[in-house]
Amino acid sequence: MAMFKDDSVRLPEFEKFVHETPAWFSDAKLGIFVHWGAYSVAAWAEPIGELGAADHSHDFARNPYAEWYFNTIRIEGSPAQQHHRETFGDVDYDHLLELWRAERFDADEVLALVKHTGARYFVPTTKHHDGITLWDAPETNGRNTVARGPKRDLIGEFAAATERAGLRFGVYYSGGLDWHFSPSEPVVETDGPDGWTNRANDRPYADYAYDHVADLIERYRPDILWNDIEWPDPGKDDGARGLVSLFDRFYAATPDGLINDRWGDTHWDYRTTEYQMGDITDEPWENCRGIGYSFGHNTLEDETHLLSGEEAIRYFVDIVARGGNLLLNIGLQADGTVPPEQRATLETLGDWNAVNGAAIFDSRPLDASIGAPAEGPWVRWTKVNGHANAIVDADGSVTLTTGEGLDVDSARLINGTTLATTVADERTRVALPPRSTPGPQVIVFDLV
């Protein structure tokens, strides 16, 4: 994973795409990401902080992303390199593929947890930067999970389980980085434009990546194409194996599908941010993050590095109130199971959504002149079907900043219990009962 380089000007070849983002995506609010690969065998990275929240982004020798293990161990003197030698000896990264068995993996079990969260779409990694594909992708010469390691079509199993769960299915693909296809490519040691100068960026790789994504479209009919880092420049054209052809192929197979914004200055249906929310846009957008500091499973992370269930609820609500979606990641263990600490967070989020989801899913942001967000007490607002919802992380007497357009006398809990209110100077005081479950309470008002 890496932060998207924002290009607001699209190449002329892509001006033909006028594709309105389908309502299902704006209604969905929550998706679940999965990062799983040979790196999950090592499951090791230094948990030094969130991407963008601390001054570590230029020090890839101490990368908190465990899924970058293949890169990090090639940086001379890095702690990851030392760990690899002490743990695995002098074997190369591909030895981890042989050790990866996925012996306890049950796609339906994973999707049952995903569905419990309330998520409406699911996006597994099909090929990360290490170049190992989780299906028998074309031209991989056996360097995939069908021929080696698990010896299973993991993407096929995920796709089938997602369909049985009644959710939308997306595919993550690392188009910009493939450290195996370009073995002479220097390791990434710095962030920013100079850090990506030597990425795989020639015609052979562009054709290779095209064939992979075309195969994913043909086999699994995904609803979302979620590319990462960039796309090789020679493939940003309208030729037979260019991105124009690829996007045409995708929309023909899935007319209400979506394409994210990490293909360079080409085409997108929605914007993405990573960990930090960044500038809020009027375009549809999605924030992705791990429950901890890493997307791939990291055995060095403990509960001090992870979002608790209540923190995940507030993070999710905050994004929805700003008009975005959350793509929250699971880093599966090598055996295919969800780490217990991550499961606990997801179950708490799901329990809260089961009770309060009517204020979240299918919602839109509320104009701040009607109901203003606040930090003390913590308050966020949404609107759904003629109702305004104040999501308040408090109980007892709370004061909300409100304006015209709100029927304050209609205040009630989401279960219909009426609440006493008093109003003075655009401030509405509401008496909330004690909470019986973790997370914020929802106050519902009628809009007038």
Side-chain angles (χ1 to χ4, degrees):
M1 299 290 299
M3 289 297 290
F4 168 72
K5 173 178 170 289
D6 187 4
D7 292 306
S8 58
V9 179
R10 307 181 195 223
L11 289 171
E13 293 89 339
F14 297 90
E15 291 178 356
K16 62 166 284 188
F17 290 105
V18 180
H19 184 256
E20 185 174 349
T21 302
W24 74 258
F25 182 76
S26 297
D27 291 343
K29 305 305 177 191
L30 180 62
I32 298 296
F33 222 177
V34 161
H35 277 62
W36 193 28
Y39 47 80
S40 305
V41 174
W44 198 95
E46 294 182 271
I48 62 173
E50 288 185 5
L51 180 73
D55 188 21
H56 68 262
S57 60
H58 295 277
D59 184 9
F60 278 72
R62 302 187 63 219
N63 194 331
Y65 285 177
E67 66 275 15
W68 276 66
Y69 187 77
F70 188 12
N71 184 78
T72 314
I73 63 176
R74 294 184 295 163
I75 299 176
E76 286 301 322
S78 70
Q81 185 182 75
Q82 179 180 348
H83 167 79
H84 186 77
R85 289 171 176 166
E86 292 174 351
T87 306
F88 301 105
D90 294 329
V91 299
D92 63 16
Y93 178 83
D94 274 26
H95 180 65
L96 302 182
L97 175 55
E98 306 304 336
L99 298 178
W100 183 20
R101 293 286 183 263
E103 65 273 16
R104 297 177 61 194
F105 175 58
D106 182 330
D108 287 309
E109 184 176 296
V110 174
L111 266 297
L113 175 60
V114 171
K115 187 160 188 175
H116 175 75
T117 67
R120 296 185 180 179
Y121 60 102
F122 174 70
V123 184
T125 49
T126 68
K127 185 200 79 166
H128 209 267
H129 311 332
D130 62 6
I132 296 170
T133 64
L134 277 65
W135 87 107
D136 56 335
E139 303 172 56
T140 50
N141 298 319
R143 195 171 181 269
N144 59 64
T145 61
V146 177
R148 296 169 64 182
K151 296 189 176 178
R152 296 164 68 173
D153 177 359
L154 301 175
I155 299 305
E157 294 181 40
F158 273 137
T162 303
E163 183 176 7
R164 287 191 289 269
L167 307 180
R168 297 273 186 166
F169 183 66
V171 290
Y172 167 105
Y173 185 83
S174 175
L177 292 179
D178 189 316
W179 299 319
H180 179 74
F181 190 92
S182 301
S184 62
E185 176 185 322
V187 296
V188 180
E189 297 192 53
T190 60
D191 201 356
D194 293 341
W196 314 116
T197 300
N198 297 303
R199 64 184 174 86
N201 198 25
D202 54 21
R203 186 79 243 180
Y205 178 63
D207 291 346
Y208 178 80
Y210 176 96
D211 290 344
H212 280 190
V213 178
D215 193 55
L216 289 168
I217 294 168
E218 178 66 26
R219 291 197 196 203
Y220 308 117
R221 292 292 194 270
D223 298 289
I224 299 172
L225 291 186
W226 213 106
N227 187 60
D228 200 12
I229 301 294
E230 249 278 8
W231 192 258
D233 294 333
K236 296 174 182 174
D237 62 17
D238 55 4
R241 293 163 93 180
L243 273 187
V244 173
S245 168
L246 191 66
F247 293 164
D248 277 335
R249 181 188 292 253
F250 172 66
Y251 288 131
T254 313
D256 65 345
L258 296 104
I259 294 170
N260 79 338
D261 64 349
R262 299 190 180 200
W263 309 76
D265 48 355
T266 60
H267 166 71
W268 58 85
D269 292 311
Y270 66 99
R271 292 304 216 171
T272 61
T273 61
E274 192 162 321
Y275 278 89
Q276 313 311 312
M277 290 189 204
D279 295 331
I280 304 304
T281 172
D282 290 335
E283 297 180 80
W285 63 279
E286 171 193 80
N287 175 263
C288 68
R289 64 157 295 153
I291 292 174
Y293 302 151
S294 174
F295 286 89
H297 175 51
N298 183 7
T299 54
L300 295 191
E301 289 186 340
D302 59 33
E303 61 183 13
T304 65
H305 308 114
L306 306 176
L307 289 176
S308 68
E310 291 185 66
E311 288 170 334
I313 293 165
R314 280 175 51 145
Y315 191 87
F316 174 47
V317 170
D318 193 25
I319 286 173
V320 171
R322 297 167 186 255
N325 286 14
L326 172 61
L327 185 61
L328 185 61
N329 182 78
I330 300 172
L332 286 182
Q333 299 178 110
D335 66 3
T337 58
V338 179
E341 299 84 0
Q342 294 189 30
R343 177 178 287 276
T345 295
L346 294 167
E347 287 178 343
T348 300
L349 175 61
D351 291 346
W352 188 88
N353 280 335
V355 174
N356 301 287
I360 300 297
F361 300 100
D362 307 306
S363 72
R364 297 295 182 268
L366 183 72
D367 191 303
S369 67
I370 301 174
E375 300 303 320
W378 189 91
V379 181
R380 297 294 185 270
W381 294 81
T382 66
K383 64 178 180 180
V384 185
N385 296 330
H387 305 301
N389 307 291
I391 300 99
V392 184
D393 196 10
D395 46 22
S397 180
V398 298
T399 300
L400 309 176
T401 301
T402 57
E404 293 183 1
L406 203 66
D407 179 2
V408 296
D409 293 330
S410 66
R412 57 198 182 273
L413 293 176
I414 202 162
N415 65 7
T417 302
T418 58
L419 298 171
T421 61
T422 56
V423 181
D425 299 326
E426 296 187 340
R427 308 275 286 178
T428 300
R429 185 172 294 277
V430 184
L432 285 170
R435 285 175 281 191
S436 58
T437 57
Q441 301 196 72
V442 176
I443 306 170
V444 182
F445 296 91
D446 293 335
L447 289 169
V448 296

